[in-house]
Amino acid sequence: NAGVMQNPRHLVRRRGQEARLRCSPMKGHSHVYWYRQLPEEGLKFMVYLQKENIIDESGMPKERFSAEFPKEGPSILRIQQVVRGDSAAYFCASSPQDSSEAFFGQGTRLTVV
Amino acid sequence: GENVEQHPSTLSVQEGDSAVIKCTYSDSASNYFPWYKQELGKGPQLIIDIRSNVGEKKDQRIAVTLNKTAKHFSLHITETQPEDSAVYFCAARSTDTGGFKTIFGAGTRLFVKA
C-alpha cells in the first residue's frame, strides 16, 4: 500500500505564474488535508476536503488559493499569480475517516523567484 | 483562536539521556493529541498519539502524558539515540465535531550528540 504521494517534490515558479500541487491519498482514504510549512515553523492548516466537497477551508487565504478533490484523480492545491511569500513546503495528509490519524506525504517545496 | 504552544524550540542531549518536550493547548474541546517526527526534507511521521480518555501511553522508548485539567501534554524519549535527531511537533484536535483542524505546535529541534 503506497503512502500519500505528492508531486512534484520541488516546484519553481516565477512571480505571477500559477502553481499546481497534486496529492494522491493512500488507498481507501477519502479525506485529504493540506498544510503549509514555512521554514523553521510548524504546519499551518489550510483546507480539509472529502471527495468532491470542501469541508473546512478556514485556513486558506481568501484570494489566489483554491483546492479540489474530484471524484476521480488526485487532490489539487492551486495557487494563482504566485508571490514570493508563497514560497513554502506544502504538505498533504489523508485519512480513511475524519476521526482517524492522518498520514502525511513528503511535501512539495514551492520556490517563487 | 485555537493555539498550541511547544517548548523548548531546541533541545540538545547526550546519547543515552532522556528528552522531554512539553506542549499546552487552548481549545478545551481538543481530545486527540498526536506527535509527529519530521526528518530533514521529509514529511511529518506520526510516532505516537494519545486520546483524552487516558493519561499516559507508552511505546518502547517513547511515552506521552496528558493532563486535561491543565491542558498540558508531554513527549518523553528515553535512552536517546543519534537517529532520534529530528524536529518533533505536537498537535491537538477535536474529533467530536466531525471536522479535522489539527493545530500544530511550532516544533522542537532535537539534537542527540553521540
Side-chain angles (χ1 to χ4, degrees):
Chain A
N1 185 11
V4 177
M5 303 300 292
Q6 288 188 248
N7 68 82
R9 292 291 309 277
H10 301 274
L11 181 62
V12 179
R13 284 288 177 265
R14 295 186 185 279
R15 281 178 294 170
Q17 290 184 319
E18 178 181 286
R20 279 182 175 245
L21 289 63
R22 294 175 183 77
C23 170
S24 296
M26 289 178 68
K27 188 176 181 181
H29 288 193
S30 58
H31 297 228
V32 165
Y33 326 93
W34 286 92
Y35 285 82
R36 177 163 63 177
Q37 185 177 37
L38 294 171
E40 306 298 318
E41 292 188 12
L43 295 102
K44 302 295 184 187
F45 170 82
M46 298 181 74
V47 62
Y48 161 40
L49 310 104
Q50 295 179 20
K51 283 285 187 181
E52 300 185 277
N53 287 306
I54 297 174
I55 307 301
D56 182 347
E57 57 181 347
S58 57
M60 287 272 277
K62 294 289 186 283
E63 298 178 348
R64 303 188 297 108
F65 284 72
S66 63
E68 63 177 11
F69 188 17
K71 188 176 180 180
E72 301 291 337
S75 174
I76 306 287
L77 178 67
R78 183 181 176 207
I79 311 172
Q80 295 178 291
Q81 300 174 345
V82 295
V83 300
R84 287 225 170 102
D86 296 333
S87 296
Y90 292 83
F91 288 97
C92 168
S94 74
S95 72
Q97 57 186 19
D98 58 9
S99 61
S100 300
E101 63 264 24
F103 297 88
F104 280 82
Q106 298 278 43
T108 293
R109 279 149 187 83
L110 172 66
T111 302
V112 180
V113 297
Chain B
E2 305 100 331
N3 186 45
V4 174
E5 293 194 2
Q6 183 171 350
H7 300 281
S9 57
T10 305
L11 179 60
S12 184
V13 300
Q14 202 68 36
E15 182 178 3
D17 288 349
S18 294
V20 180
I21 302 170
K22 298 182 179 182
C23 290
T24 60
Y25 61 97
S26 61
D27 185 0
S28 56
S30 297
N31 59 0
Y32 175 66
F33 306 91
W35 285 87
Y36 288 87
K37 175 183 181 182
Q38 187 177 27
E39 296 176 322
L40 191 63
K42 297 186 178 181
Q45 179 185 9
L46 180 70
I47 56 172
I48 195 167
D49 56 18
I50 189 167
R51 298 180 191 271
S52 59
N53 57 348
V54 298
E56 185 174 355
K57 183 176 178 180
K58 191 173 181 180
D59 183 4
Q60 298 183 341
R61 296 186 296 109
I62 296 174
V64 290
T65 59
L66 171 65
N67 182 332
K68 278 216 76 176
T69 303
K71 296 182 187 172
H72 289 173
F73 59 116
S74 300
L75 176 73
H76 303 251
I77 306 174
T78 58
E79 300 172 24
T80 53
Q81 301 167 5
E83 50 265 38
D84 294 330
S85 297
V87 180
Y88 291 81
F89 292 99
C90 63
R93 171 177 142 214
S94 170
T95 61
D96 291 339
T97 60
F100 182 102
K101 188 173 179 179
T102 301
I103 306 299
F104 282 80
T108 295
R109 189 172 297 276
L110 174 64
F111 297 95
V112 180
K113 295 176 286 186

